[in-house]
Amino acid sequence: MPRQTGPQSLDRASAESRRSDCPILLSSRLVLRAPHIDDVDALAHLANNANVATMVSRMPHPYTAADAAAFVRRTAEGTIGKCVYAITKAETGAFLGCCGVEAGADSAAVELGYWLGEPHWNQGYATEAAQTLIDMAFRTRDIERIDARCRVVNAASRRVLQKCGFQLRGSGLVDCLALGGMVPVEHFHLDRKTWISLRSWGGRR
């Protein structure tokens, strides 16, 4: 007897079909996969935190369930970046945050972004997710570097980038939606040659 397919299954299949070059990614503790409707409650709960929203550029605050549902829909439609992932625990499937890569300033680069809910900070998850995504980007895309940025006051995010081999390239200002204005940021990049020398990631987490 054929198995019935419900709306949520169709939503997930549709999301994955639009992400043929954004495969599900596995690491020792994490699964990176397309965000889907089942993530809305956890996403809204973790993102509705000023300590998170003020460290990224495009997250509103307060952050509602409607915002989360719109985010999931837009990722499925491909209108937010090129590869947006939900960061989840491999053992439990728990939603921890998001990461992704999108087109960079030129065709030789992509830009890396990530955030984690505050209960999951300081456990190495951001570094593990970033390293997994970096490996995918360099192995599947004809790029020479990955760009990233973090707020000057975000020491934890800076440590993640440094652990992944990123080098500081300068500073500037970007708009922060949650704060309603410009904030100072540091710009980093990781080139392919450096990634090749680090790709075993031995002892770097």
Side-chain angles (χ1 to χ4, degrees), residues 17 31 35 57 71 112 127 137 147 168 180 204:
S17 70
V31 175
S57 59
F71 173 82
L112 169 73
T127 302
D147 297 327
L168 179 65
R204 298 189 64 83

Side-chain angles (χ1 to χ4, degrees), residues 114 122-128 130-131 134 155-167 188 190 194 198 201-205:
Y114 51 84
N122 301 315
Q123 299 175 59
Y125 292 130
T127 302
E128 187 172 335
Q131 290 173 347
I134 288 164
S157 186
R158 185 184 304 110
R159 285 195 298 271
V160 169
L161 295 175
Q162 291 170 338
K163 288 178 182 179
C164 292
F166 281 79
Q167 297 176 334
F188 294 81
L190 173 65
T194 303
L198 296 173
W201 303 117
R204 298 189 64 83
R205 284 183 186 147

Side-chain angles (χ1 to χ4, degrees), residues 15 18-19 58 69-84 101-103:
R18 295 185 179 96
R19 295 162 51 95
R58 292 176 289 190
F71 173 82
V72 171
R73 183 186 70 252
R74 291 166 63 203
T75 59
E77 294 169 349
T79 58
I80 302 179
K82 182 61 178 174
C83 281
V84 179
V101 291
E102 60 182 56

Side-chain angles (χ1 to χ4, degrees), residues 56-133:
V56 297
S57 59
R58 292 176 289 190
M59 184 181 289
H61 184 73
Y63 194 97
T64 67
D67 292 319
F71 173 82
V72 171
R73 183 186 70 252
R74 291 166 63 203
T75 59
E77 294 169 349
T79 58
I80 302 179
K82 182 61 178 174
C83 281
V84 179
Y85 286 95
I87 303 171
T88 67
K89 281 189 179 181
E91 289 187 355
T92 65
F95 178 92
L96 308 182
C98 289
C99 62
V101 291
E102 60 182 56
D106 58 66
S107 59
V110 294
E111 184 170 352
L112 169 73
Y114 51 84
W115 67 268
L116 285 176
E118 189 169 3
H120 310 297
W121 292 357
N122 301 315
Q123 299 175 59
Y125 292 130
T127 302
E128 187 172 335
Q131 290 173 347
T132 303
L133 198 52

